[in-house]
Amino acid sequence: MKMSIVEKILKLKKEKKAVILAHNYQRPEIQDIADYVGDSIELSRKAAEEKDAKIIVFSAVDFMAESAAILNPDKKVLLPTLGARCPMAQMLTVYEIKKWKAAYPLAPVVLYVNTLAEAKAYCDICCTSANAVEVVESLDSETVLFGPDSNLAEYVRRKTGKNIIPIPEKGFCPTHLLFQPEDAQILKRKNPDAVLMVHPECTAEMQEIADFIGSTSQMCRYARESNEKRFIVATEEGLIYRLRKENPEKEFIPAYEEAVCPNMKVNTLEKIYTALKEEENVVRVPEQIAKRAREALKRMFELK
Ligand code: CIZ
Ligand code: SF4
């Protein structure tokens, strides 16, 4: 009898002692076969806990698989599709960081994990959208260079009151820019009992009308622990699948149906199968870059 693609992946995964990690924005069928589904840093930490695993298939985009490779130098990290690139991470080059550092030599550099490893190597500390405020508050400086997401930078500025300088000036996530406050207001009026959850990569106007602002992992926790029953969700639509699966008694309404990250969606079951079978698309970060990026990531972990 012919095996299905899912059966083939699961068989291969067992034979090769592989672990499949899927980001919250992955397609439903990928989330269903994954060992863990989560945000980029949760997944990198899961990879580190899997002591017996030889291979990590990291179904996400480039910078996430790079972080996993940096934190798991003894494992083979595979990205199912080499072209799965996050445009936000591409917006901050080392040249740009050096330029801003020269202009503000005393200001620490905080970089969102949505950056390439080579950029992380030039920062003082990394942050995620879940801990950006705590990371900036921990620094003994009123002026902070923060990149690449200018909307997250603005969120951190409002929460901490510090002088947050976004680098580059206008870094953004094209998918989260699709959310319009007008659309969300219509949905709120139609569903007055629903809680509006907004990702900090959305614009300040979206954040202003939010009932809850948080990363994907914070949205999952909030939806699970809250007594509320209905939620309007302003982040990439892949998270809605996970929210519905984990909370079948609750209702999740996308704030915009077409908020799809095409970069996340290039990964498919077929690509996972091929990458695992051929052990191809190995993510490699040169050790002199990995070492410095690892230190910046570790400084973030030490805060918790
Ligand atoms: O770090 C991640 O996984 C990202 C970019 C999104 C989020 O909010 O979890
Ligand atoms: Fe990058 Fe935005 Fe896609 Fe996340 S959702 S991978 S930030 S483009």
Side-chain angles (χ1 to χ4, degrees):
M1 209 177 64
K2 205 164 168 274
M3 276 166 93
S4 71
I5 184 84
V6 171
E7 288 166 333
K8 287 202 279 189
I9 293 172
L10 297 180
K11 181 167 177 277
L12 208 51
K13 187 174 84 112
K14 216 166 162 186
E15 284 168 10
K16 295 198 178 214
K17 287 192 191 283
V19 173
I20 300 177
L21 305 177
H23 190 265
N24 287 326
Y25 297 158
Q26 291 299 281
R27 296 168 185 271
E29 62 275 20
I30 296 181
Q31 295 193 25
D32 285 344
I33 58 142
D35 294 283
Y36 301 101
V37 179
D39 70 26
S40 63
I41 291 303
E42 284 173 341
L43 294 178
S44 288
R45 294 182 122 167
K46 279 284 171 217
E49 283 166 20
E50 291 289 326
K51 298 276 177 261
D52 296 335
K54 301 265 180 295
I55 298 176
I56 304 289
V57 182
F58 207 106
S59 197
V61 292
D62 53 359
F63 74 85
M64 299 185 177
E66 272 189 356
S67 294
I70 290 165
L71 295 170
N72 295 276
D74 54 331
K75 298 186 174 85
K76 211 182 224 182
V77 177
L78 312 178
L79 185 63
T81 318
L82 266 194
R85 295 215 171 91
C86 166
M88 184 202 280
Q90 313 285 331
M91 287 174 196
L92 188 58
T93 59
V94 170
Y95 174 80
E96 183 88 11
I97 301 173
K98 285 186 175 167
K99 191 182 88 185
W100 286 96
K101 270 166 88 104
Y104 293 88
L106 298 179
V109 180
V110 178
L111 291 190
Y112 191 21
V113 284
N114 295 33
T115 37
L116 295 173
E118 61 202 46
K120 287 188 179 80
Y122 285 87
C123 79
D124 294 290
I125 184 165
C126 291
C127 75
T128 68
S129 43
N131 63 22
V133 171
E134 287 97 311
V135 167
V136 168
E137 267 169 356
S138 77
L139 300 169
D140 188 18
S141 173
E142 273 311 299
T143 300
V144 173
L145 295 168
F146 187 101
D149 187 17
S150 57
N151 290 308
L152 182 62
E154 171 58 19
Y155 173 73
V156 172
R157 189 195 60 74
R158 243 182 309 118
K159 287 278 181 187
T160 63
K162 290 197 180 193
N163 179 26
I164 308 293
I165 297 165
I167 60 167
E169 265 164 278
K170 269 264 150 261
F172 62 94
C173 161
T175 303
H176 284 86
L177 275 205
L178 294 172
F179 295 101
Q180 298 288 334
E182 296 76 15
D183 298 336
Q185 293 283 24
I186 294 171
L187 278 174
K188 264 172 91 114
R189 275 200 293 279
K190 275 199 204 148
N191 304 278
D193 60 324
V195 178
L196 174 60
M197 300 198 289
V198 171
H199 196 281
E201 286 173 22
C202 293
T203 59
E205 293 74 29
M206 275 300 291
Q207 294 182 30
E208 245 164 60
I209 59 167
D211 299 305
F212 176 82
I213 301 175
S215 69
T216 57
S217 55
Q218 288 171 322
M219 285 186 190
C220 288
R221 190 172 333 115
Y222 181 74
R224 189 169 59 240
E225 291 173 1
S226 151
N227 290 327
E228 305 290 343
K229 294 277 177 279
R230 306 181 74 226
F231 303 84
I232 301 167
V233 186
T235 192
E236 208 276 346
E237 58 93 50
L239 187 72
I240 307 253
Y241 177 74
R242 175 172 168 195
L243 288 167
R244 286 179 179 152
K245 192 171 166 181
E246 290 182 354
N247 306 276
E249 73 297 353
K250 298 188 179 182
E251 193 186 339
F252 298 94
I253 306 161
Y256 180 60
E257 300 266 2
E258 279 142 62
V260 176
C261 172
N263 319 289
M264 282 282 178
K265 263 48 179 192
V266 290
N267 296 319
T268 58
L269 287 178
E270 285 71 19
K271 289 193 175 132
I272 289 179
Y273 175 67
T274 310
L276 187 53
K277 183 161 155 272
E278 307 298 334
E279 295 186 29
E280 65 184 17
N281 302 350
V282 181
V283 181
R284 288 195 180 90
V285 181
E287 187 47 32
Q288 74 272 27
I289 291 176
K291 186 171 171 283
R292 291 171 59 179
R294 195 178 298 124
E295 279 162 17
L297 284 163
K298 287 201 168 147
R299 269 180 228 123
M300 166 179 85
F301 292 136
E302 277 158 18
L303 274 187
K304 291 243 162 178

